[in-house]
């Protein structure tokens, strides 16, 4: 099993390995018996809910379970309210624990509930998608969506620990699995050309645990440098400005990782057209994405994307901050007048 320490204000450990769901006692810091609220969507609850509940009961904790309908459409205020009321009805106190078992939707929803319930209680992230393992479970960003936009209600709230049982990836549908690959490609572009090469080889099954560990290390470094996301952590938004706009235009039918893949391709092609990077930069990024069956072209007009980007959190007044690759392994934040965004992106934008 691999361990990565995330040295935020309150440091915590990410443990990655096989069979961890039933070995929680060995991994978690000792804790007095408490009430544990396991939060999972309906799919993950039926796959892993019993196993997770048994593991906590074995440690002497009493367990209650909250299952909600799967999908981004349920990462909303209604589910947050339902979860908070469930916690209150289940008499969770400040010394109790919330456990998010699932993908990024579950982690974001349960993490936000943990941040605001009784002004903040501990929570554990147990990611079961590749995307959650390498991205959303680490770093303490929690949120739900509003009809007006994604992640518009949220908080920074670091987990007590992250436990990633890589065996759970075995049940992932292919499209959900490759969503995570898109974020791994992002880390390769940001910080690790070797990992990008490995991902482009599309023959990395035996190195998946290493990819998770390396991605968590890279994400952890950005989070430690800038926990509140006011500077260098924003580099993790590579591909996300356009990506979030695509997700929203599709009514969240296009999954996060697929949208980010298109976003990275658009920005890399635009950067090459503007002379910021060489042509081989978008070529390498696109090869890694396409090699993993990820999309690189878009179903929506550039105008409709720009309209959505106007409401983006990364907008500050008339400026939008864009993450642009200069080389593989080196990206930079560009603050661009929003009025110039369309002409900058146009050469990188391709309609499917
Ligand atoms: N907080 C952050 O820093 C951060 C970072 C990146 C993404 N996110 C958020 O994460 C979300 C996307 O996460 P996601 O891609 O994990 O989506 P998700 O949580 O919706 O999971 C995708 C689907 O896979 C199913 N599933 C999960 N684990 C499974 C398993 N082991 N076997 C079978 N099915 C399984 C789920 O039921 C769901 O239907 C988005 O809301 C995004 O905004 C947050
Ligand atoms: Zn992302």
């Amino acid at each position: 099993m691999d361990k990565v320490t995330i040295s935020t204000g309150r440091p915590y450990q990410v443990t990655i390995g096989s069979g961890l769901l039933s070995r929680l006692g060995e991994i978690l810091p000792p804790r007095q018996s408490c009430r544990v609220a396991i939060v999972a969507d309906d799919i993950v609850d039926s796959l892993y809910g019993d196993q997770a509940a048994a593991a906590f009961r074995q440690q002497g904790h009493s367990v209650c379970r909250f299952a909600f309908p799967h999908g981004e459409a349920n990462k909303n205020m209604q589910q947050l309210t339902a979860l908070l009321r469930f916690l209150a009805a289940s008499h969770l106190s400040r010394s109790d624990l919330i456990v998010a078992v699932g993908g990024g939707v579950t982690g974001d929803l349960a993490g936000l509930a943990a941040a605001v319930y009784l002004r903040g209680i501990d929570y554990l992230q147990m990611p079961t998608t590749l995307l959650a393992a390498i991205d959303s479970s680490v770093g303490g960003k929690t949120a739900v969506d509003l009809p007006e936009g994604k992640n518009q209600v949220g908080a920074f709230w670091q987990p007590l620990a992250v436990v990633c049982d890589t065996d759970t990836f075995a049940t992932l549908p292919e499209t959900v699995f490759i969503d995570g690959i898109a974020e791994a490609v992002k880390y390769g572009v940001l910080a690790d050309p070797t990992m990008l090469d490995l991902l482009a080889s599309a023959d990395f099954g035996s190195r998946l645990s290493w990819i998770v560990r390396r991605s968590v290390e890279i994400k952890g470094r950005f989070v430690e440098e800038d926990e509140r996301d006011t500077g260098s952590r924003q580099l993790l938004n590579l591909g996300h400005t356009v990506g979030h706009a695509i997700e929203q235009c599709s009514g969240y039918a296009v999954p996060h990782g697929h949208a980010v893949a298109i976003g990275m391709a658009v920005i890399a092609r635009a950067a090459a057209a503007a002379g910021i990077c060489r042509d081989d930069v978008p070529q390498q990024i696109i090869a890694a994405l396409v090699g993993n069956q990820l999309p690189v072209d878009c179903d929506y007009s550039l105008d409709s994307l720009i309209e959505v980007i106007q409401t983006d959190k990364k907008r500050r007044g008339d400026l939008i901050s864009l993450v642009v690759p200069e080389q593989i392994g080196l990206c930079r934040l560009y603050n661009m007048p929003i009025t110039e965004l369309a002409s900058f992106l146009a050469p990188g934008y391709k309609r499917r």
Side-chain angles (χ1 to χ4, degrees), residues 131 135-136 150 179 183 186-187 219 236-238 240 244 247 256-257 260:
L131 184 140
D135 195 351
S136 58
K150 201 173 149 64
D179 257 338
E183 300 281 6
K186 177 186 83 177
Y187 294 124
K219 173 142 192 194
L236 294 171
N237 289 328
L238 174 65
H240 281 58
H244 281 166
E247 280 184 273
H256 182 74
V260 168

Side-chain angles (χ1 to χ4, degrees), residues 21 39-41 43-45 47-49 51-52 99-107 125-134 136-137 162-173 176-177:
L21 204 52
V39 181
D41 70 26
I43 295 176
V44 174
D45 183 68
L47 286 168
Y48 301 109
Q51 215 179 328
V99 179
V101 185
V105 164
T106 302
Q125 289 274 19
M126 298 194 65
T128 63
T129 65
L130 181 61
L131 184 140
I134 68 172
S136 58
S137 65
V162 182
V163 179
C164 171
D165 184 340
T166 50
D167 293 350
T168 60
F169 301 157
T171 51
L172 284 175
V176 178
F177 179 77

Side-chain angles (χ1 to χ4, degrees), residues 265-288:
V266 169
I267 205 82
R269 289 190 206 109
I276 295 171
C277 64
R278 293 191 331 217
D279 286 340
D280 62 330
V281 170
Q283 282 161 8
Q284 284 185 68
I285 296 172
I286 288 167

Side-chain angles (χ1 to χ4, degrees), residues 242 245 249 301-312 315 338 340-343 345-346:
V242 172
C249 281
S301 72
L302 186 55
D303 283 349
S304 53
L305 298 183
I306 300 277
E307 203 172 305
V308 175
I309 293 172
Q310 311 268 353
T311 64
D312 197 289
R315 180 176 175 180
I338 195 110
E340 290 173 20
L341 186 64
S343 58
L345 291 180

